[in-house]
Amino acid sequence: MDNAPIRAAEFFAGIGLVRTALERVKGAQVQVVWANDIKQAKHDAYAANFPDAEDHFKVRDIRLVEAADLPDGIELATSSFPCIDLSLAGNRRGLVGDQSGMFWEFARVLEGMSPRPAVVLLENVHGFATSHGGQDLAAALTRLSELGYSLDVLAIDARHFVPQSRPRMFIVGIEKDKLPPQAHNGVPPLSDARPAWVQAVHAKHRQTLGMHFIDLPQLPEGPQDLEGFVETDASPELWWGDDRVEAFVRSLSDIQKARFERLLSDDVVSYRTAYRRTRQGVSVWELRKDAIAGCLRTTGGGSSKQALVRVGKGSRAVRWMTPREYANLMGAHDYKLLAGTPNQQLFGFGDAVVVDVIEWIGNNYLLPVLRPDSALRKE
């Protein structure tokens, strides 16, 4: 069994970046045998990268999915359920919202599976932890506990792996009768993957729900700039004209403009990213202080798209970021951009997980639990 592929189901699969990450896990083969999403465009992007998708990817509302639809022998179920009702930028309806409420549908399918997956991995925004004063997270943890899972919570910012600020929380559930020897009870020590607010979640629920934690290595430092992630050979036609660049600069606040002018006078050319915001009813641009990207978002409109600024040596240029740059910033440098419009591609990446983060969790958490002997050989 230890040499057998880990059979996985990918709920809310999107364009397949969870699968991309799991297939990079060293020491054991992870085989996605079932995946679903409601959007045809995401299926098409997935299928362009994974030709076997036609055999297992179901374009279906999860409310129409039954446990009997899934194949037998699934050991790992992943769920990146919608974040819009949990995000601080969303409507904050929480798990009663039409989108984030799909967690309950995932749990319903999970309940009907026999046997259930030994491990589940859920991903969402940090707002999940504070939604309705923490009640939504408590309700989700309670439901998973009722299904027989011992639970762990992690918080990982993708900036440890790629030059993008993208904090996300993860819930790892392990069937209580399959907890490995390295699983600890109690409150985990403070670490970069378990900050104080994660400790507080463990402290609050460890007595009532059965929480555990597993020791993890320190997260890497991560790149500090966009070098290697920007398309330096992008078409010149993508760069904005002088009038549009001048309007960009005029919209900057005094503090932002001073930052821009300092970069402009530098003797090196650097890249920065910028978002368009609405401040007191006026649309303005804001330039990041550091040299990494802001959190990529789903492109529902111009304000959610991220612009790239190239500035230095007295030269300035601005354009929208490209789908390839979005892919690179999501850790998917080799992802094939063969399906969908550019805006659909941007949307797919903005709605996805960072490959390197899932790969790190896979190598340091999932593999040691599901294939301990393979994990030891890898070391």
Side-chain angles (χ1 to χ4, degrees):
M1 178 67 176
D2 199 69
N3 293 320
I6 297 170
R7 289 167 61 84
E10 192 180 2
F11 289 79
F12 310 100
I15 62 173
L17 295 198
V18 168
R19 173 172 175 173
T20 301
L22 292 177
E23 290 188 351
R24 294 183 187 177
V25 171
K26 300 177 178 66
Q29 179 187 0
V30 180
Q31 180 182 16
V32 175
V33 296
W34 186 88
N36 98 293
D37 200 277
I38 196 172
K39 293 186 181 295
Q40 182 67 41
K42 291 183 176 179
H43 162 272
D44 295 344
Y46 189 111
N49 285 270
F50 304 107
D52 65 345
E54 299 304 328
D55 299 327
H56 71 265
F57 192 116
K58 310 302 178 185
V59 182
R60 190 178 305 166
D61 188 324
I62 193 172
R63 289 171 292 191
L64 303 177
V65 173
E66 301 295 337
D69 299 333
L70 278 74
D72 295 333
I74 291 172
E75 297 179 77
L76 170 65
T78 68
S79 174
S80 296
F81 63 99
C83 68
I84 189 168
D85 299 305
L86 299 168
S87 170
L88 296 177
N91 56 40
R92 298 295 276 170
R93 294 193 65 210
L95 293 186
V96 300
D98 293 338
Q99 300 295 317
S100 300
M102 292 302 102
F103 163 81
W104 302 112
E105 296 297 324
F106 166 69
R108 174 187 59 81
V109 177
L110 201 60
E111 181 176 25
M113 296 175 70
S114 181
R116 292 182 189 130
V119 176
V120 295
L121 174 65
L122 288 77
E123 176 265 352
N124 217 286
V125 295
H126 281 194
F128 188 12
T130 57
S131 179
H132 290 148
Q135 294 180 30
D136 283 334
L137 178 57
L141 294 175
T142 298
R143 184 74 178 103
L144 293 170
S145 179
E146 291 170 348
L147 294 175
Y149 291 98
S150 177
L151 304 162
D152 191 3
V153 176
L154 306 173
I156 301 176
D157 192 329
R159 69 187 304 160
H160 288 280
F161 301 91
V162 295
Q164 180 196 171
S165 174
R166 194 180 186 87
R168 291 293 184 267
M169 66 172 291
F170 299 87
I171 300 172
V172 182
I174 303 175
E175 284 194 306
K176 294 174 183 177
D177 61 355
K178 293 187 173 75
L179 275 175
Q182 67 268 36
H184 307 287
N185 294 318
V187 178
L190 191 69
S191 69
D192 46 11
R194 295 187 178 98
W197 70 264
V198 168
Q199 287 184 313
V201 171
H202 278 262
K204 181 177 180 180
H205 299 292
R206 68 188 181 94
Q207 297 287 356
T208 55
L209 297 183
M211 305 283 290
H212 74 271
F213 69 92
I214 288 177
D215 295 325
L216 295 169
Q218 285 288 109
L219 293 168
E221 182 176 345
Q224 302 302 306
D225 57 46
L226 295 165
E227 185 177 354
F229 291 79
V230 170
E231 280 194 284
T232 56
D233 58 352
S235 170
E237 297 178 357
L238 295 177
W239 295 98
W240 298 349
D242 290 341
D243 290 346
R244 193 173 182 184
V245 172
E246 184 59 34
F248 170 90
V249 175
R250 283 199 309 269
S251 83
L252 298 172
S253 68
D254 290 343
I255 293 175
Q256 295 274 323
K257 197 168 295 183
R259 181 180 303 154
F260 183 85
E261 293 298 333
R262 284 195 299 271
L263 291 168
L264 184 65
S265 63
D266 277 353
D267 57 4
V268 296
V269 175
S270 61
Y271 290 94
R272 292 293 189 274
T273 60
Y275 268 123
R276 194 165 56 199
R277 315 276 194 189
T278 300
R279 301 298 187 200
Q280 298 178 335
V282 178
S283 179
V284 299
W285 281 97
E286 293 184 357
L287 197 66
R288 276 191 71 91
K289 290 188 294 185
D290 54 22
I292 69 172
C295 185
L296 301 181
R297 304 174 186 171
T298 53
T299 51
S303 63
S304 59
K305 292 172 68 176
Q306 199 158 174
L308 182 71
V309 181
R310 186 181 67 202
V311 60
K313 294 185 176 181
S315 174
R316 62 188 191 179
V318 185
R319 63 167 170 80
W320 295 117
M321 297 191 79
T322 66
R324 172 51 59 199
E325 287 164 343
Y326 268 47
N328 293 346
L329 288 168
M330 296 301 289
H333 291 266
D334 299 327
Y335 196 90
K336 302 181 184 70
L337 301 175
L338 300 176
T341 65
N343 207 51
Q344 286 173 327
Q345 293 167 350
L346 294 176
F347 189 100
F349 288 113
D351 204 28
V353 298
V354 171
V355 171
D356 306 71
V357 175
I358 301 299
E359 182 184 3
W360 186 88
I361 294 173
N363 281 321
N364 293 291
Y365 204 132
L366 306 181
L367 183 64
V369 171
L370 291 168
R371 295 291 184 275
D373 290 345
S374 294
L376 288 173
R377 287 196 297 272
K378 176 172 71 72
E379 295 175 356

